[in-house]
Amino acid sequence: MCGIIGVTGDGNALGVIFEGLRRLEYRGYDSAGVALVDGASLWRRRAADGTHSVDDLIGSADEVPEASRTGIGHTRWATHGGPTTENAHPHVDCSGQLALVHNGIIENHAELRGPLEERGHVFASQTDTEVLVHLLEEELAGGVGLAEGLRRALAGVRGAFSVVVLSADQPDVIVAARRSVPLLAAVGDGTGFVASDISALLGRADRFFAIEDDQVAAVGPGTLEVTTLAGEPVEPTSVVVDPGWDVEAAQKAGYDDFMTKEIHEQPRAVADTLLDRWGPGKDLVIDELRVPPEDLRAVDKVVVVACGSSYHAGMVAKYAIERWARLPTEVEIASELRYRDPVLHERTLVVGVSQSGETLDTLEALREARRSGAPTVIVSNVVHATMAREADGVLYTRAGPEVSVASTKCHVAQIVALDLLALVLAQWRGTMGPAAVAAEFDGLRRLPSLVDEALGRAKDVDAVAEALAGARDYFFLGRNIGYPVALEGALKLKEISYLRAEGYPAGELKHGPLALVEPGVVVVAVLDPLQDKMRSNIAEASARGATVVVVAADGEDVTGLSDHVLRVPRVDDPILAPVVTVVPLQLLAYALARRLGNDVDRPRNLAKTVTVE
Ligand code: M6R
């Protein structure tokens, strides 16, 4: 959450910050702000406009200090203190000479604030962040430099942060620090940058570095010095930019919004995730996996940890890993695993799934697993992400940048990547013979064209959306492999249309929620080809007056079963079907949200990358 950027040594500092904020806006858009060094003082502008704060900020940037080459910017997802201009970053100290932006949460802000106020500091916001700038102000009063001041200021701070500071008294440097929240630095020819995400810096520099936990980076024009919080110099971790991540890949490319673009990029995302996985020995090879086959052979349990749509991809993986690799598999909501003393050990393979590779709940769950001695693998879409750096092994989804808050192409790419992992486990454990592995891999290779075909039926989905206009309550039902698809359909609808939508295992409906079904309620049922019992569950809802929409494979007889049918191409092995059956549900959520006039890329209250617990 929150996007931060800092620049020094660039004659167009404000332009770089504005462009960076546009690219980071997906991380939060409750408010936005910028501060520049303006001669011997600071120039600051902030705006808070719900979903278009960066535009507002840019519109309000009057009397820009032209000579400024150093500045910081922020786009906010509010945690402590409402989305108002006073709470917008950058925050300044009492003298107005120091400015600071922050992503994360300062957990002991309340206990730090009281003593600061007693010592005369005047607070201008309700944020947890503002204590940092006043703490820094006190340290700098002792005559130390900005980096040393920040190190000292952070000594008594608990929580998660990436923080960037700027001082009008030291105009050619920006200083940043990180704990648990992503932060990158970059160095160009006479320029230096920091940002939450590489997308903000693409095209600006040629050398990129990951700032690790409890490190402080002092960035000057063309220079970078990294130390620990204790002041020990360290060699910065160099990161290689994924060649698929260029500025163009992060543009709408003629689509109305990123969500449609990304929905239509799904065949490519799936195909790319499968590229180069079939080795010369006619077996599956995952180069980046890094965990040796003998370690994977020793595994006796798999635990998948993730959040949101990534968690739903993990639920699909449970079916594949149990069926193919015959390993008991648990799927855990990441924020729950960490706090309940889970039983993990060297033979438990813990698989994190994360589009961003930065979600703090998942990161902390993986760290917990590593502390328990369990081998960890992360399925990530971001090559240099913290989880990709920390986990023992990686499996990359090659979906390219996903900008829309609602995950689509990364979700299907994650399912495919997890299927690959399940097959590799089966291959190495010998639970599937080479021919069976090859047959499933062929099935995976057919998915891009089937997804493409499903996308070609968008008009049918629009017609159903039109017929459903006005409905406010939805149940999404599925059984077996259709259940996670139903959960994902409900999540997509909730997050972009703001309609009430519950995903449910179809067989459970009669154990309680059926009481909610009445005329006006819409039931969207994913008809898994294996599940005849689904038909009875659908009939039970129909009999109570629900409007029923069925997602059914071509050729499936659905006569009299529902009010509307969304057809999808048939997938030979039902275990691979979620990649295709989820497509009409994404399109339905999109069509309903657009009809309601919602901003599908930037749903209210949400952010793309969630770096708070
Ligand atoms: O980056 P991650 O995959 O770790 O993110 C996890 C969730 O925050 C994410 O999937 C979220 O639920 C999406 N907005 C769903 O569309």
Side-chain angles (χ1 to χ4, degrees), residues 307-310 353-357 359 362 405-407 414 491-492 495 610:
C307 309
S309 292
S310 302
V353 188
S354 177
Q355 173 277 131
S356 58
T359 300
T362 311
V405 167
S407 183
Q414 285 168 343
L491 177 62
K492 284 289 91 77
E495 65 181 336
V610 184

Short mmCIF file of all heavy atoms in Angstrom, two decimals, residues 307-310 353-357 359 362 405-407 414 491-492 495 610, ligand 1:
data_model
loop_
_atom_site.label_atom_id
_atom_site.label_comp_id
_atom_site.label_asym_id
_atom_site.label_seq_id
_atom_site.Cartn_x
_atom_site.Cartn_y
_atom_site.Cartn_z
N CYS A 307 -3.06 -14.81 0.00
CA CYS A 307 -4.21 -13.97 0.33
C CYS A 307 -5.03 -13.73 -0.95
O CYS A 307 -4.49 -13.74 -2.05
CB CYS A 307 -3.77 -12.59 0.80
SG CYS A 307 -2.55 -12.63 2.10
N GLY A 308 -6.31 -13.47 -0.76
CA GLY A 308 -7.18 -13.02 -1.85
C GLY A 308 -7.20 -13.97 -3.03
O GLY A 308 -7.31 -15.20 -2.88
N SER A 309 -7.05 -13.41 -4.23
CA SER A 309 -7.10 -14.23 -5.44
C SER A 309 -5.97 -15.25 -5.47
O SER A 309 -6.12 -16.34 -6.02
CB SER A 309 -6.99 -13.35 -6.68
OG SER A 309 -8.14 -12.57 -6.79
N SER A 310 -4.83 -14.89 -4.88
CA SER A 310 -3.70 -15.83 -4.85
C SER A 310 -4.06 -17.03 -3.96
O SER A 310 -3.66 -18.16 -4.24
CB SER A 310 -2.46 -15.13 -4.31
OG SER A 310 -2.15 -14.03 -5.12
N VAL A 353 2.12 -17.85 -2.47
CA VAL A 353 1.63 -17.44 -3.79
C VAL A 353 1.33 -15.95 -3.70
O VAL A 353 0.56 -15.52 -2.85
CB VAL A 353 0.34 -18.21 -4.18
CG1 VAL A 353 -0.03 -17.91 -5.64
CG2 VAL A 353 0.51 -19.70 -3.97
N SER A 354 1.95 -15.17 -4.58
CA SER A 354 1.74 -13.72 -4.49
C SER A 354 2.07 -13.06 -5.82
O SER A 354 3.18 -13.21 -6.33
CB SER A 354 2.64 -13.14 -3.40
OG SER A 354 2.51 -11.74 -3.36
N GLN A 355 1.11 -12.35 -6.35
CA GLN A 355 1.35 -11.58 -7.57
C GLN A 355 2.52 -10.61 -7.35
O GLN A 355 3.47 -10.58 -8.10
CB GLN A 355 0.06 -10.82 -7.94
CG GLN A 355 0.15 -9.84 -9.07
CD GLN A 355 0.70 -8.49 -8.66
OE1 GLN A 355 1.60 -7.97 -9.30
NE2 GLN A 355 0.21 -7.90 -7.59
N SER A 356 2.42 -9.83 -6.27
CA SER A 356 3.40 -8.77 -6.04
C SER A 356 4.69 -9.30 -5.44
O SER A 356 5.75 -8.69 -5.58
CB SER A 356 2.81 -7.75 -5.06
OG SER A 356 2.45 -8.41 -3.85
N GLY A 357 4.59 -10.42 -4.73
CA GLY A 357 5.76 -10.90 -3.98
C GLY A 357 6.08 -10.02 -2.79
O GLY A 357 7.15 -10.14 -2.18
N THR A 359 3.23 -8.85 -0.50
CA THR A 359 2.12 -8.81 0.47
C THR A 359 2.64 -9.19 1.85
O THR A 359 3.18 -10.29 2.04
CB THR A 359 1.02 -9.79 0.02
OG1 THR A 359 0.59 -9.36 -1.27
CG2 THR A 359 -0.15 -9.81 0.97
N THR A 362 1.68 -12.55 3.59
CA THR A 362 2.29 -13.74 2.99
C THR A 362 3.79 -13.78 3.29
O THR A 362 4.35 -14.82 3.60
CB THR A 362 2.03 -13.75 1.46
OG1 THR A 362 0.64 -13.51 1.25
CG2 THR A 362 2.41 -15.08 0.84
N VAL A 405 -6.32 -3.24 -9.74
CA VAL A 405 -6.35 -3.81 -8.39
C VAL A 405 -6.93 -5.22 -8.41
O VAL A 405 -6.46 -6.12 -7.71
CB VAL A 405 -7.16 -2.88 -7.44
CG1 VAL A 405 -7.48 -3.57 -6.14
CG2 VAL A 405 -6.36 -1.60 -7.17
N ALA A 406 -7.94 -5.43 -9.23
CA ALA A 406 -8.55 -6.76 -9.33
C ALA A 406 -7.63 -7.67 -10.14
O ALA A 406 -7.36 -7.41 -11.31
CB ALA A 406 -9.91 -6.66 -9.99
N SER A 407 -7.16 -8.72 -9.51
CA SER A 407 -6.22 -9.60 -10.20
C SER A 407 -6.95 -10.50 -11.19
O SER A 407 -7.98 -11.10 -10.85
CB SER A 407 -5.51 -10.46 -9.15
OG SER A 407 -4.56 -11.27 -9.77
N GLN A 414 -0.99 -17.93 -11.96
CA GLN A 414 -0.63 -18.62 -10.71
C GLN A 414 -1.14 -20.06 -10.71
O GLN A 414 -0.44 -20.98 -10.28
CB GLN A 414 -1.25 -17.89 -9.51
CG GLN A 414 -0.57 -16.59 -9.16
CD GLN A 414 -1.37 -15.74 -8.19
OE1 GLN A 414 -2.57 -15.96 -8.00
NE2 GLN A 414 -0.73 -14.77 -7.58
N LEU A 491 -15.30 -12.85 -5.24
CA LEU A 491 -14.34 -11.80 -4.85
C LEU A 491 -14.25 -10.73 -5.93
O LEU A 491 -14.25 -9.52 -5.64
CB LEU A 491 -12.96 -12.41 -4.58
CG LEU A 491 -11.85 -11.43 -4.23
CD1 LEU A 491 -12.15 -10.67 -2.94
CD2 LEU A 491 -10.50 -12.13 -4.09
N LYS A 492 -14.19 -11.17 -7.19
CA LYS A 492 -14.09 -10.19 -8.29
C LYS A 492 -15.30 -9.26 -8.26
O LYS A 492 -15.17 -8.05 -8.39
CB LYS A 492 -14.03 -10.87 -9.67
CG LYS A 492 -12.74 -11.50 -10.07
CD LYS A 492 -11.62 -10.56 -10.40
CE LYS A 492 -10.78 -10.23 -9.19
NZ LYS A 492 -9.83 -11.20 -8.75
N GLU A 495 -15.22 -6.79 -5.21
CA GLU A 495 -14.23 -5.72 -5.14
C GLU A 495 -14.44 -4.63 -6.18
O GLU A 495 -14.13 -3.48 -5.90
CB GLU A 495 -12.80 -6.23 -5.11
CG GLU A 495 -12.29 -6.95 -6.31
CD GLU A 495 -10.82 -7.42 -6.10
OE1 GLU A 495 -10.08 -6.84 -5.29
OE2 GLU A 495 -10.43 -8.35 -6.79
N VAL A 610 -0.59 -5.00 -0.80
CA VAL A 610 -1.00 -4.76 0.58
C VAL A 610 0.18 -5.02 1.51
O VAL A 610 0.46 -6.17 1.86
CB VAL A 610 -2.22 -5.62 0.94
CG1 VAL A 610 -2.71 -5.30 2.35
CG2 VAL A 610 -3.34 -5.39 -0.07
O1 M6R B 1 0.11 -9.57 -4.47
P1 M6R B 1 -0.67 -10.70 -3.88
O2 M6R B 1 -1.02 -11.76 -4.86
O3 M6R B 1 0.01 -11.28 -2.67
O4 M6R B 1 -2.03 -10.06 -3.38
C1 M6R B 1 -2.97 -10.82 -2.67
C2 M6R B 1 -4.30 -10.12 -2.61
O5 M6R B 1 -4.17 -8.87 -2.00
C3 M6R B 1 -4.91 -9.94 -4.01
O6 M6R B 1 -5.05 -11.15 -4.68
C4 M6R B 1 -6.29 -9.27 -3.90
O7 M6R B 1 -7.19 -10.12 -3.27
C5 M6R B 1 -6.77 -8.84 -5.29
N1 M6R B 1 -7.24 -7.49 -5.24
C6 M6R B 1 -7.86 -9.70 -5.80
O8 M6R B 1 -8.34 -9.26 -7.02
#
